[in-house]
Amino acid sequence: ILLLIGIAAQIASSIISSNGRLKHTYTDVVFVPASSFSVSDIGGRCKQSAVRAVGEWVERRVREKEEERENWKARVWSVVNLKPIVVVVGGSCREVRVMASMILFDSFPRLHERSIVFASNLSKAMDEVEELADPRYAGKLHYYVTTFAGEEEMEVAQVERIGDSADVAKRKEEVESKLQQGVAKLSMRKKVMEERRKRREFLSQATHVIIAVGNFPVGELLPSRDTVWRAEAAVELALADNTSAIVYSGGSTSRMLARGEGEAEACAVSEARVMALHSSRRISAWRIAMEEMSMSTVANARYTARLIEESFPNASKFTLVSKPDHLRWAMPIFEKVEVFAGRLQAAASKFDREEMMENLRSVIETRRDDHHDGGDTCRGLPLCLSTRLDNLERGIGGID
């Protein structure tokens, strides 16, 4: 018995450190430069490349860790953390959240909202990560950074291993330099200015304006599937008509879901900006304009009309894009505005009720796992995910 107790104690000491944390465990952390964002081809392609690289990295690392956990030695000697942490560094708060929103959308449900950290610089990022890492673990963090192929052509991103927390502290300047690769250089800024000039010229000549209105997100950083379907429908119409431009309309409704006060609310990402960035995968971004003030369908119509009067002097045809249910009552609202009277047609976007319900269930389940608070506790409130899911299941009209 004493011999068995001794062996058990030795095994325990090899698994648990002196401070009670598990040994042989680690958390993957990837630093992603926010980079300056404007709705430009360069800014969009640069960002999409980074999002794609991070998404592929998250998928690969989660798969590798799951395989590692299946190994009997891993089960005996360690508990592997399957949730990587993504740190978006630098840029304005809104730029950072746009980037984080796209990363989360592409990687969900492998990443949760709480797996994304925002930081203005590397030192703050490391402090945030240390606090976020699971306290049971011995604190070993494996750090990666998103880099680009070159300073001029920043459209091919890759994720590069840079070591653990000690390595990052020693090589802080080198890591900062790699992060700065994601920030547009002077020559890139000149290209962006040129693209802005192209946008102004194109919008002033466009005769057909496609208007896609957003919908309430399913998380502070996670757009609804419905919103993305509307953006995709607008792109399909624009690709079929070279004289057309797209206006994405929708304010920062996500601020109603912000967990914190002040900055979290002020930096909320607009529905229009999320749709614009999503569309930049398939269409020249200088064909896109954004209206980011509206918080309702009535405001969508009013503020979009104002934008058209200012930027689209030759527009004579308008198409409103939304889901079928919404179009039935959104069309009369838009047609009451003088700019659209007699010149507006409707175009229904995809809407898959089963897919929407599955999306809401996934988010609710993720929050239950992430927050350890029993999940969505606001049942009955209009913006509550549980209420939205109930309405869809029962066929009741509402946000979705």
Side-chain angles (χ1 to χ4, degrees):
I1 292 173
L2 289 173
L3 180 62
L4 290 173
I5 291 173
I7 292 172
Q10 208 165 16
I11 292 174
S13 67
S14 67
I15 297 175
I16 303 175
S17 63
S18 58
N19 59 8
R21 292 179 174 179
L22 294 169
K23 292 180 179 177
H24 309 294
T25 60
Y26 59 88
T27 301
D28 280 334
V29 182
V30 60
F31 296 117
V32 189
S35 72
S36 56
F37 173 72
S38 61
V39 183
S40 67
D41 281 344
I42 293 171
R45 288 197 300 266
C46 176
K47 245 179 179 55
Q48 293 296 346
S49 175
V51 168
R52 187 163 48 248
V54 171
E56 290 171 355
W57 173 83
V58 168
E59 179 111 33
R60 184 173 63 255
R61 292 302 291 148
V62 168
R63 186 171 59 248
E64 289 171 355
K65 288 185 177 186
E66 286 174 342
E67 291 171 356
E68 183 180 339
R69 191 170 61 173
E70 291 300 312
N71 183 288
W72 72 271
K73 289 182 180 178
R75 290 203 300 271
V76 170
W77 294 104
S78 67
V79 177
V80 178
N81 182 6
L82 294 181
K83 292 182 184 176
I85 299 172
V86 175
V87 187
V88 185
V89 185
S92 73
C93 63
R94 190 159 294 170
E95 291 164 355
V96 167
R97 276 174 164 73
V98 168
M99 185 69 173
S101 177
M102 291 308 299
I103 291 172
L104 184 63
F105 182 82
D106 276 30
S107 300
F108 187 81
R110 296 179 301 278
L111 273 179
H112 300 169
E113 283 180 304
R114 298 223 172 182
S115 300
I116 296 185
V117 175
F118 312 117
S120 56
N121 57 57
L122 187 61
S123 296
K124 289 183 179 179
M126 292 177 68
D127 291 341
E128 292 275 355
V129 168
E130 293 282 355
E131 287 187 17
L132 188 63
D134 195 313
R136 296 173 299 169
Y137 298 166
K140 188 173 183 183
L141 302 172
H142 288 183
Y143 282 117
Y144 297 75
V145 65
T146 305
T147 58
F148 294 85
E151 293 186 0
E152 287 297 322
E153 295 299 326
M154 298 198 301
E155 296 171 26
V156 182
Q158 58 193 14
V159 177
E160 174 188 337
R161 173 76 188 274
I162 54 176
D164 59 25
S165 53
D167 295 324
V168 173
K170 289 177 185 175
R171 299 162 52 213
K172 185 177 176 183
E173 290 185 6
E174 179 187 340
V175 176
E176 287 276 23
S177 175
K178 287 180 178 178
L179 286 171
Q180 284 300 317
Q181 288 185 35
V183 181
K185 301 291 187 291
L186 178 61
S187 59
M188 298 291 282
R189 290 194 186 99
K190 289 180 179 176
K191 291 180 182 179
V192 169
M193 294 301 292
E194 176 63 18
E195 286 181 357
R196 287 178 179 170
R197 184 188 62 78
K198 285 182 183 177
R199 181 186 299 112
R200 284 194 298 270
E201 289 182 359
F202 183 86
L203 298 185
S204 67
Q205 296 170 9
T207 57
H208 179 197
V209 179
I210 300 159
I211 305 160
V213 294
N215 195 7
F216 205 83
V218 295
E220 184 186 343
L221 296 173
L222 191 60
S224 69
R225 286 284 187 271
D226 179 29
T227 294
V228 175
W229 289 331
R230 298 181 193 192
E232 290 173 347
V235 170
E236 290 293 338
L237 290 170
L239 290 175
D241 181 359
N242 291 331
T243 67
S244 66
I246 300 174
V247 171
Y248 287 121
S249 175
S252 301
T253 51
S254 60
R255 70 173 184 238
M256 299 178 191
L257 299 175
R259 296 190 188 92
E261 299 290 334
E263 184 180 357
E265 183 175 337
C267 300
V269 181
S270 73
E271 296 165 1
R273 195 164 289 262
V274 169
M275 289 191 288
L277 183 55
H278 187 88
S279 299
S280 67
R281 304 168 192 234
R282 300 183 57 203
I283 194 168
S284 295
W286 43 265
R287 293 181 65 181
I288 297 171
M290 296 184 296
E291 180 284 297
E292 299 183 87
M293 296 172 61
S294 57
M295 304 290 280
S296 67
T297 303
V298 172
N300 286 139
R302 183 169 66 251
Y303 289 127
T304 301
R306 185 183 300 173
L307 175 63
I308 286 170
E309 288 173 341
E310 293 171 353
S311 304
F312 297 87
N314 290 311
S316 57
K317 176 184 175 183
F318 304 98
T319 301
L320 181 62
V321 178
S322 188
K323 64 178 180 178
D325 287 352
H326 184 222
L327 283 174
R328 279 197 288 271
W329 55 274
M331 282 291 289
I333 290 173
F334 270 75
E335 286 172 337
K336 287 180 181 178
V337 179
E338 185 178 354
V339 171
F340 305 119
R343 299 190 290 175
L344 184 68
Q345 61 186 18
S349 59
K350 168 188 173 181
F351 187 80
D352 187 319
R353 189 176 301 276
E354 291 298 323
E355 190 173 336
M356 267 302 301
M357 288 192 293
E358 184 57 37
N359 180 223
L360 288 170
R361 289 189 194 105
S362 297
V363 178
I364 292 170
E365 188 61 33
T366 297
R367 287 184 171 181
R368 183 176 294 116
D369 291 343
D370 238 8
H371 299 183
H372 308 291
D373 63 358
D376 205 351
T377 58
C378 59
R379 188 177 293 275
L381 300 176
L383 302 183
C384 177
L385 296 186
S386 297
T387 304
R388 293 166 68 177
L389 179 59
D390 288 345
N391 287 343
L392 279 171
E393 290 175 337
R394 295 159 61 189
I396 298 174
I399 292 172
D400 300 298

